[in-house]
Amino acid sequence: MNDPVLSAIEHSAEALEVRHDSRWIVGYSGGKDSTATLKILLSAWKLATKKPPFFDLIYCDTGVENQILDKYIKNQIQDINREAELDGLPIRTTILKAPVQESFFVKIIGRGYPPPTNSFRWCTKALRINPVASFLKAATAEQSVVALGLRRDESQQRTRSLEKNGSSHWQRQRESTFSYDVYLPILELDVPAVWDAIFGLTKPRSISASDLEDLYRGASGECPIIKSPQSPPCGSGRFGCWTCTVVRKDKSAEKLIRSGYTQLSPFLEFRNWLAEFRNDPNARWKKRRNGSEGLGPFTMDARYEILRRVDALEDATGTEIITSEERGMIAALWKFDDVPRLSFKL
Ligand code: SF4
């Protein structure tokens, strides 16, 4: 039987040859699946006779990434850039970010959005999918190939969607005004094969497989960056936002804390509090913003309380959680909902 990593490399080399004149964009989260995808594409690039000049590696920074992982990924991107410059690694990196008015705490504290749930998961679109879609649109995606680390065995839901979409390495992704080809190099890989690729393939040299493995003792899964039927919901643990209330328990953070990253504890406590606070009817308008029945945005008192707790968390951890630009935007938004409190200084 063929080694799954070798066949993924061979398949990818063929894909690169067929689409050598396209721009190749690789979605990167720093997690195991996108790391394996990148390594396989680089090995395939070496093998291919005709190939694109480089890969565009895109990383979407939500501004609320788990602190440990955020530091790891940003260092990783710096190291990849250095390797590209010194060793001619065919990679160009871009960090994407949602506009300030879309950021997590501006939505929650400024507009009063309830923290996301499975049935109202506004964050993935605002924080990850839209910034990536804008990048792709500007990159004339119609002629591009977007490589993603989706795998068939990741979840039953994923498997069903992939089957429905022809279960091929190639998929067509439609956005509202454009569409593009998606290539899935590790579609057939299971978790052990993903780790084989990460440990066995050398480039980029700057990615330390054992550092990544250490982080994965706690975290797993990756929140999607394109809106596609193949994309999974955030699972029971993931490389994602420390504020994520979509999952009932943040098992990634819990495991990271148990394995020694105790500095995450105050963040996890805040997240747990926010997930509970969302369900308090006294903290919410009695109607939705559009006037329909049902719990609406957070009241102004509730938003003030959330801000107070974020400020306390910033002080306790010595980290900036809400930037000054975001604070300015929150103050501007409060003018619409809170005339009496206008004088409050953010
Ligand atoms: S990790 Fe959670 S909070 Fe972050 S974008 Fe994904 S679903 Fe939303």
Side-chain angles (χ1 to χ4, degrees):
M1 207 172 84
N2 241 353
D3 177 86
V5 175
L6 283 181
S7 45
I9 294 172
E10 282 163 12
H11 193 284
S12 300
E14 276 170 35
L16 290 176
E17 286 179 4
V18 172
R19 297 293 298 270
H20 67 276
D21 51 359
S22 296
R23 181 172 180 182
W24 279 69
I25 297 166
V26 184
Y28 181 66
S29 73
K32 70 178 191 320
D33 291 336
S34 54
T35 301
T37 298
L38 176 63
K39 288 196 155 205
I40 283 171
L41 284 174
L42 286 172
S43 300
W45 191 84
K46 230 174 139 193
L47 207 67
T49 45
K50 285 192 281 185
K51 49 201 163 194
F54 57 83
F55 297 103
D56 266 305
L57 195 70
I58 54 170
Y59 168 66
C60 194
D61 179 6
T62 60
V64 279
E65 295 297 312
N66 171 315
Q67 307 274 306
I68 303 294
L69 304 176
D70 187 52
K71 200 164 158 216
Y72 164 82
I73 293 163
K74 296 213 173 119
N75 284 341
Q76 201 62 82
I77 289 175
Q78 264 181 18
D79 291 348
I80 290 174
N81 284 340
R82 204 167 304 125
E83 191 176 336
E85 210 177 294
L86 296 178
D87 298 350
L89 195 68
I91 294 181
R92 217 165 58 171
T93 62
T94 307
I95 297 183
L96 307 172
K97 207 161 181 173
V100 65
Q101 67 273 18
E102 298 294 324
S103 71
F104 189 87
F105 281 111
V106 168
K107 289 275 202 186
I108 301 250
I109 300 175
R111 296 267 296 152
Y113 270 51
T117 56
N118 249 330
S119 53
F120 185 41
R121 191 159 64 118
W122 49 267
C123 48
T124 319
K125 190 162 185 234
L127 300 179
R128 297 186 196 273
I129 289 167
N130 286 349
V132 171
S134 305
F135 175 87
L136 294 178
K137 194 171 179 194
T140 55
E142 296 279 349
Q143 281 86 48
S144 302
V145 175
V146 179
L148 296 174
L150 304 185
R151 292 184 302 106
R152 195 190 295 285
D153 85 333
E154 207 170 327
S155 74
Q156 280 184 352
Q157 181 183 341
R158 168 79 60 85
T159 307
R160 279 197 299 273
S161 317
L162 286 168
E163 299 299 342
K164 233 171 73 193
N165 279 274
S167 65
S168 145
H169 287 268
W170 288 99
Q171 310 266 328
R172 188 77 186 157
Q173 171 70 20
R174 288 182 207 294
E175 300 291 341
S176 47
T177 54
F178 63 102
S179 57
Y180 52 88
D181 289 322
V182 172
Y183 179 65
L184 309 176
I186 63 164
L187 179 69
E188 308 295 350
L189 266 53
D190 58 13
V191 173
V194 165
W195 284 111
D196 281 350
I198 293 170
F199 274 93
L201 305 175
T202 45
K203 290 209 168 170
R205 274 184 221 293
S206 45
I207 294 183
S208 157
S210 44
D211 284 358
L212 186 61
E213 192 189 31
D214 274 354
L215 286 176
Y216 260 97
R217 300 230 165 85
S220 64
E222 296 164 38
C223 194
I225 57 164
I226 64 165
K227 186 173 185 284
S228 106
Q230 300 97 288
S231 296
C234 285
S236 55
R238 73 272 166 271
F239 255 45
C241 312
W242 66 269
T243 49
C244 187
T245 49
V246 170
V247 285
R248 205 173 59 79
K249 283 180 125 198
D250 189 342
K251 290 185 186 155
S252 289
E254 287 174 1
K255 283 188 198 159
L256 282 166
I257 291 165
R258 275 203 297 278
S259 58
Y261 296 101
T262 50
Q263 64 272 46
L264 292 179
S265 287
F267 294 95
L268 181 62
E269 277 163 28
F270 175 91
R271 183 224 89 106
N272 292 344
W273 171 78
L274 191 61
E276 285 294 314
F277 194 51
R278 168 185 65 194
N279 300 327
D280 179 353
N282 294 324
R284 307 273 297 273
W285 289 2
K286 302 296 169 237
K287 288 202 170 175
R288 304 215 170 99
R289 203 174 268 283
N290 64 9
S292 65
E293 289 305 317
L295 286 182
F298 278 125
T299 63
M300 286 310 304
D301 281 343
R303 291 184 226 176
Y304 176 70
E305 177 60 15
I306 298 169
L307 180 63
R308 194 186 65 73
R309 289 185 182 238
V310 173
D311 286 345
L313 186 59
E314 285 193 338
D315 289 346
T317 58
T319 48
E320 182 184 65
I321 295 170
I322 304 180
T323 63
S324 52
E325 202 189 352
E326 288 170 333
R327 283 174 189 270
M329 182 58 70
I330 290 170
L333 287 168
W334 276 15
K335 288 183 187 162
F336 294 104
D337 288 341
D338 184 37
V339 177
R341 219 190 292 262
L342 272 179
S343 56
F344 175 74
K345 199 171 169 309
L346 276 160

